[in-house]
Amino acid sequence: YLPNEFSNMPKMAVLRDPVARMKSSVGLIMSGGTEKLSIHPSTLSRTKKLKSLPDFIGYVEDNIENPSRLDFCFRTQSSFVCDDKKLSLMDRLYRYEDGLEVIINASIPKSEAYLARVNITPKNFRNPICSNRDVDRILKLYQDDVNLYRSISVNSITK
């Protein structure tokens, strides 16, 4: 680990709409994963009795203060990209829902950065149905993510 070299490198992150992310994560786990994207056995064990989106939301509500009990897909996105003061550590943030073209056509010079890996997994599972109450619970649960996501313009935000 070379902190000085890392701090000088361009950093970007792609954030997903918190409601869409939760629905997709629940659908993926309820289906047992995909051929290319497996679910960790500890996550499957902890969530095997959960049968609906409200069950999963309750599970995350009960464990959000202890993120080690949550699969990465249920942890707050802001915890990966922000400091303790909730300020972005990234040079640029993008919204997943704006499409990969926005990221690929970003103004990061190709000589300075590249996408190490793009995870585009064919989706062969169904997202669960989401009620207005579910949406409200998800938005409350991921309020910091909601604020960060809403702060991103179509062309990204920069420091």
Side-chain angles (χ1 to χ4, degrees):
Y1 176 67
L2 305 168
N4 292 334
E5 285 78 0
F6 178 73
S7 66
N8 294 327
M9 293 176 68
K11 292 167 280 307
M12 57 155 279
V14 179
L15 301 183
R16 189 146 188 213
D17 172 86
V19 174
R21 181 174 179 248
M22 172 67 90
K23 288 171 53 179
S24 179
S25 297
V26 169
L28 179 69
I29 290 172
M30 288 178 72
S31 72
T34 67
E35 182 180 313
K36 291 187 177 187
L37 188 61
S38 61
I39 307 300
H40 195 277
S42 67
T43 298
L44 291 174
S45 174
R46 289 179 180 152
T47 60
K48 66 183 172 191
K49 293 182 181 178
L50 306 178
K51 302 296 181 198
S52 66
L53 180 61
D55 290 347
F56 276 87
I57 296 170
Y59 169 74
V60 175
E61 288 169 336
D62 292 344
N63 291 286
I64 198 71
E65 298 301 322
N66 186 6
S68 65
R69 291 197 45 80
L70 296 173
D71 188 82
F72 291 104
C73 66
F74 292 124
R75 296 179 190 183
T76 62
Q77 296 173 94
S78 54
S79 67
F80 295 108
V81 301
C82 292
D83 63 16
D84 294 338
K85 296 176 185 170
K86 300 179 183 174
L87 298 174
S88 175
L89 296 168
M90 302 294 112
D91 297 310
R92 288 190 171 84
L93 293 172
Y94 298 95
R95 293 184 301 219
Y96 173 83
E97 287 75 14
D98 289 336
L100 195 55
E101 298 81 26
V102 171
I103 301 162
I104 292 172
N105 295 324
S107 60
I108 301 173
K110 293 190 186 329
S111 63
E112 293 181 25
Y114 66 96
L115 293 176
R117 178 172 175 252
V118 178
N119 180 9
I120 302 176
T121 304
K123 187 173 164 183
N124 56 2
F125 59 89
R126 293 174 49 170
N127 286 346
I129 295 175
C130 191
S131 71
N132 289 337
R133 176 164 158 56
D134 296 336
V135 170
D136 290 343
R137 289 173 70 195
I138 294 167
L139 294 177
K140 182 179 177 187
L141 186 61
Y142 294 109
Q143 186 62 56
D144 290 340
D145 288 359
V146 171
N147 294 339
L148 190 60
Y149 183 85
R150 288 179 178 166
S151 74
I152 303 171
S153 73
V154 173
N155 294 319
S156 88
I157 65 169
T158 59
K159 281 187 177 177

